[in-house]
Amino acid sequence: IFDGVSDVLIGFLIDRTKSRYGKARVWILWMMFPYGLSAVLLFTVPQAAQWVQAIYIFITYNFCTTVVYTALNLPYATLASLITRDVNQRASINLYRTGMSAIGNLAITSITFPLVSALGDTQQAWVAVSILYALLAVLLLWFCFRHCHERVHLPTGQRDGQTIPLLQKLRLILTNRYFVLFFLLSIALSLYEAITGSCTAYYAQYILHNRNLTGAFASFEAIPQIIAVLLLSPFIYRFGKRNVAFVGALIASVGVASQFLAPDNLTLALFACVLRGIGKGCFRGVKYSMLSDIIEYGDWKTGVRLEGMIVSTTTAGQKFGSGITTAAISLLLDLAGFAGNDAIPASAQSMIAYIYIGGNLLAWVMIALLLILYRLDKYYPEIMADLAERESANAHSQQNTSC
């Protein structure tokens, strides 16, 4: 809840930020060192009473994720819409962002435990590794700040030169039909990610009877996702973002549905991971460039440009959706008699299979159906032409007024 609320607040502040470095880029400068520090603090839990440790963990975790990471990641996510308004350039920027993020995640996941083990597998080892990662993160964030520049300079959150209150901004966002569609798409994606994050280990242990397969599942999904993202560019230019994402959702749905043929078959499970990875790569590869288009559509429809607020409201909904999904999974497993022991009842085994396969299929079918309603790609050139004409007229009017 705290994290979702902080998203909206940071989005509101981004739209009100004015600095020599722009409205989003400057937040990367402000937050890079606090982010590195907060990440290290997560691993420096004091050797004290349990209640002291609980308070320390609550404070440092929320400082890192709810405050610092939110204040860093949301401006970073907004930055692409401020670098360029060219639809193809935005697509390329977000493809590189998504692809490199997946590669970095895969690399860090692969080397962290071996690195900690080599340093002694103690708390001091974890602190040392976190310091290394923090220094690397600060350097990369500085590189991003130094070489990314905002080139789109338009009034944000204003109408007739007057700043719009927060609640009115939220009402304007809800009149943007494509924002509502994208919000639901993000919730569907968070449903999928929450299920795979919560149930993959259970599925490996209790359905396939080998919990060590969890890492293999992650790799079989992550590698095709990375490859798909890196190869998407010509398909986006030729077929459009919506169509690429829709085909990806269909591919993922086929992969997940195939597991119903034999839920305990390892080959089918790995096959499903590959197709899910391709589908996820297709959707995530266009997700953020779609969001930039939705910002332009909102400006065209309402006359008010809202960048940070649209990005932050989307991520807030995604976090709420993930939290609700995780709670629902826990409730369903409890009702089925799951207690986390080595041996579980047949009802719990069936529930794990239903959640892991049925839940994932539901998520991808929802994504496909919602994408059918998304038609912004078709009208986007006309919308941008109208915006250019409007902005030119406004600039001419201001010029005459100043004279």
Side-chain angles (χ1 to χ4, degrees), residues 136-387:
L136 179 61
V138 170
L139 287 174
L140 291 174
L141 289 168
W142 169 254
F143 184 85
C144 176
F145 167 78
R146 181 69 179 83
H147 294 282
C148 293
H149 300 278
E150 296 181 16
R151 297 177 177 85
V152 179
H153 303 288
L154 295 170
T156 303
Q158 296 181 3
R159 175 176 282 160
D160 299 327
Q162 300 297 317
T163 300
I164 295 175
L166 175 60
L167 291 180
Q168 188 174 347
K169 289 180 180 180
L170 291 174
R171 285 195 294 268
L172 287 174
I173 289 173
L174 292 177
T175 65
N176 185 332
R177 59 173 297 194
Y178 291 110
F179 165 79
V180 175
L181 278 175
F182 191 84
F183 185 85
L184 295 174
L185 282 167
S186 297
I187 290 178
L189 182 63
S190 72
L191 169 65
Y192 164 72
E193 292 178 337
I195 290 172
T196 54
S198 301
C199 293
T200 298
Y202 294 152
Y203 189 81
Q205 181 174 355
Y206 296 109
I207 307 301
L208 299 177
H209 308 292
N210 185 354
R211 64 181 179 181
N212 294 325
L213 289 170
T214 304
F217 284 172
S219 297
F220 270 70
E221 180 173 331
I223 294 173
Q225 177 187 344
I226 293 169
I227 294 172
V229 168
L230 297 179
L231 296 178
L232 275 186
S233 185
F235 297 98
I236 294 173
Y237 298 155
R238 180 170 176 79
F239 301 108
K241 292 182 282 292
R242 191 282 298 267
N243 292 336
V244 167
F246 179 72
V247 170
L250 292 181
I251 292 172
S253 298
V254 170
V256 175
S258 70
Q259 289 187 269
F260 280 117
L261 299 174
D264 59 350
N265 185 285
L266 175 59
T267 302
L268 274 179
L270 294 175
F271 172 74
C273 286
V274 171
L275 294 193
R276 291 201 322 250
I278 294 172
K280 190 175 179 181
C282 289
F283 182 53
R284 291 186 68 90
V286 302
K287 176 183 175 183
Y288 294 104
S289 53
M290 288 172 67
L291 192 54
S292 295
D293 295 349
I294 290 168
I295 291 171
E296 302 289 358
Y297 173 81
D299 186 5
W300 174 78
K301 179 177 176 61
T302 67
V304 179
R305 190 173 185 85
L306 297 169
E307 292 153 339
M309 283 292 295
I310 285 181
V311 174
S312 65
T313 309
T314 301
T315 58
Q318 190 168 336
K319 290 173 181 177
F320 283 129
S322 179
I324 292 171
T325 301
T326 303
I329 290 171
S330 178
L331 177 61
L332 290 172
L333 290 176
D334 286 343
L335 293 174
F338 179 77
N341 301 321
D342 290 337
I344 62 173
S347 59
Q349 282 186 314
S350 298
M351 183 60 73
I352 290 171
Y354 287 142
I355 293 173
Y356 183 76
I357 301 174
N360 280 336
L361 181 60
L362 173 64
W364 282 110
V365 170
M366 285 175 58
I367 290 172
L369 292 176
L370 289 168
L371 284 169
I372 291 174
L373 302 175
Y374 184 93
R375 301 187 178 95
L376 184 54
D377 289 356
K378 178 180 178 181
Y379 305 111
Y380 189 74
E382 180 182 344
I383 288 170
M384 292 306 295
D386 286 349
L387 280 174

Side-chain angles (χ1 to χ4, degrees), residues 71-112:
L72 174 65
N73 187 55
L74 286 179
Y76 176 70
T78 307
L79 191 56
S81 64
L82 297 169
I83 292 176
T84 178
R85 300 178 82 182
D86 182 271
V87 63
N88 292 329
Q89 291 179 358
R90 281 179 174 174
S92 296
I93 289 170
N94 285 295
L95 280 175
Y96 280 111
R97 173 197 172 183
T98 304
M100 294 303 105
S101 173
I103 291 173
N105 183 63
L106 183 62
I108 294 298
T109 302
S110 301
I111 68 174
T112 297

